[in-house]
Amino acid sequence: ATAIAPVPVPPPGSAPPPMPAPMPAPMPMPMGPSAVGPALGDTLPARVLVEDVLRRAREEMRAAGRDVTLEAPGDLPETITCDGKFLARALANVVRNAGLHARSRVVMTVDREGERTVVHVDDDGPGIAPADRERLFEPFYRVDNRSERSVYGTGLGLSLVQGIVRAHGGEAIVKSRVGEGTTVVVTLPRREQP
């Protein structure tokens, strides 16, 4: 039989051992439109949503020690109908990932294309090979093209993004060429209230 080592018990009156630092709370994962809830119909000023996204991304860039220029979109639609909390987290995740891979800059644009709102996030990073690109939205999958593997976190980021975007009836795709950078395109149906 395998011996089980006894658990050490501190002597009476001694200070308890320090607790480990808490892990960041995981971002909630909506599994469909009902998971996002009634807030899916909230109509928000697009500029407010974008400013929140860039603020979140800049904070995470500073925390990661990354000096990357985040360029905000110039022209914006007036409003976006969505669950603002979830969509802001998803888009901030896309911008943050772009910043972690970019050499110097990330550009975000938001456009109307017919009945859709289309968000582009472009970086000037090393690009992603086709074999990796096909798996980017798989949970826990990470592209290993840098030695600083801790920078990529758990690999849940784009999987969560896709879940949130699909809960809004949209889709996220990745376009990339090795050596030329990457673009993440998030397409959302227009749900503007009259």
Side-chain angles (χ1 to χ4, degrees), residues 22-148:
M23 293 292 289
M27 185 167 64
M29 175 62 168
M31 299 304 293
S34 62
V36 177
L40 186 60
D42 289 346
T43 299
L44 306 174
R47 186 159 300 281
V48 170
L49 179 69
V50 168
E51 287 173 355
D52 185 35
V53 167
L54 295 178
R55 176 189 59 77
R56 291 168 184 259
R58 287 189 177 108
E59 289 174 355
E60 295 192 35
M61 290 294 94
R62 282 195 294 268
R66 296 284 289 151
D67 184 16
V68 174
T69 300
L70 301 182
E71 296 187 16
D75 296 327
L76 285 170
E78 288 189 11
T79 59
I80 297 178
T81 299
C82 61
D83 182 311
K85 180 178 71 172
F86 278 113
L87 189 59
R89 287 183 179 184
L91 294 178
N93 203 313
V94 172
V95 175
R96 180 205 62 186
N97 284 347
L100 292 175
H101 293 80
R103 294 186 177 95
S104 62
R105 64 195 285 263
V106 174
V107 179
M108 180 183 185
T109 61
V110 183
D111 299 301
R112 291 288 197 218
E113 295 183 6
E115 294 303 310
R116 302 177 301 166
T117 300
V118 183
V119 181
H120 289 80
V121 178
D122 301 278
D123 69 61
D124 61 353
I128 303 168
D132 289 317
R133 196 161 62 241
E134 293 174 1
R135 302 186 60 192
L136 283 176
F137 293 105
E138 295 179 11
F140 304 109
Y141 186 77
R142 298 186 296 177
V143 177
D144 186 13
N145 61 3
R146 289 173 50 162
S147 59
E148 299 175 46

